[in-house]
Amino acid sequence: MAERTYSEEEMASMLELASKLQAKAAKNADHRSGLTLSELETIAAEAGLDPIHLRQAATQLFDKNVAIAHGKPSTSASHNYVDQWVVAELTDESWEEVVSELRHRYDSDLGYMMGAGLDGSAAGAQGYGRGVESQVGRSREWKHMSMSGIETRVIVQPRGESLQVKLSQRVGWGGTTAESITYGLILSLFGAAIGGAVWEGMLPAIFTFIVAMAIFVPLIAYADKTWRKKKHRELQELGSRLGKILAVHQPAKEPDMTYEDAGASRIDASLLDQEDSFTSEDARQNQRLKDR
């Protein structure tokens, strides 16, 4: 069947009604519809745009407090990583606030009290329980080693008008599988020794070892995965907190020149001090011209 053809008057009526229906639908739509800034960052990255530029645009157009672009968090067999960008300047004051926050969260005198303090020893040089600051060029670094061997690093690097904040945390000497098998093996051997001593035989010891491995390895793996995820969330929260601290120190912008400033800048002040260049003869000649 041939498709109907509409006249100009009918088309105008349909377009007018369609626009009213669209406006009504938009008015009744859920106010939560749309995309979050994080979702827009994903779309921008797929389109080849740097998320930090999207954050800068959002800051300038809509929200002066939006100045942090979160990178994709990542992990390795032994570390958790968090990377983000902040539109800010790295000053002594902002770095002091960052270090103050890190000390409040991590620093402890427990290592010092147990003889592993900052006394020049190998352990003390790594700062067990206390954070250590360093600077290379314009970059600042803070690292901390806990008594349990968890090392946390924070590096802030200036990149143009922005700062790249990199956080890393060592959460183990190897992956979850390697650690669960190793620790499970140690516990199972210990259990086999006890089982062999109690039942006085090799077969009971072997049976105890197999049962212990079947129990301990998956249990340790589950606990390790849960713990690593928790530490990663805490590291992301720390990154957001440090980003907010740094974002307070926005790059200074030069004030726009007003019309009055522009006009004043074109006036040569030396001209204001010059005396009148007209002589009395010039004045009489002008008067004769007027009389004509």
Side-chain angles (χ1 to χ4, degrees), residues 10 34 72 95 164 203 213:
E10 290 175 329
K72 185 178 181 180
W95 177 246
Q164 184 179 13
L203 290 179
M213 284 289 289

Side-chain angles (χ1 to χ4, degrees), residues 139-158:
S139 301
R140 305 288 185 96
E141 179 181 359
W142 181 92
K143 67 177 181 178
H144 175 273
M145 178 72 74
S146 69
M147 293 298 296
S148 59
I150 300 176
E151 183 186 56
T152 304
R153 288 175 178 263
V154 177
I155 300 176
V156 181
Q157 297 177 310

Side-chain angles (χ1 to χ4, degrees), residues 214-289:
I215 294 175
F216 285 128
V217 171
L219 184 62
I220 294 174
Y222 174 78
D224 188 60
K225 286 182 180 179
T226 303
W227 179 76
R228 287 175 183 242
K229 290 180 179 179
K230 177 183 176 182
K231 299 301 290 183
H232 206 180
R233 288 195 301 269
E234 291 176 353
L235 194 65
Q236 289 178 269
E237 293 174 358
L238 174 62
S240 297
R241 173 58 182 163
L242 297 183
K244 292 179 181 178
I245 292 175
L246 291 169
V248 174
H249 302 268
Q250 295 285 339
K253 295 182 179 180
E254 296 182 359
D256 296 333
M257 181 177 290
T258 62
Y259 177 80
E260 290 78 5
D261 294 333
S265 64
R266 291 194 295 267
I267 297 176
D268 189 350
S270 62
L271 297 177
L272 300 177
D273 298 330
Q274 292 184 359
E275 297 181 354
D276 193 337
S277 60
F278 286 100
T279 63
S280 57
E281 181 63 28
D282 295 330
R284 287 194 296 270
Q285 184 176 356
N286 290 338
Q287 185 63 39
R288 286 195 297 270
L289 293 174

Side-chain angles (χ1 to χ4, degrees), residues 20-31:
K20 292 181 179 179
L21 293 174
Q22 177 69 24
K24 183 178 180 181
K27 183 178 180 180
N28 296 332
D30 189 348
H31 69 281

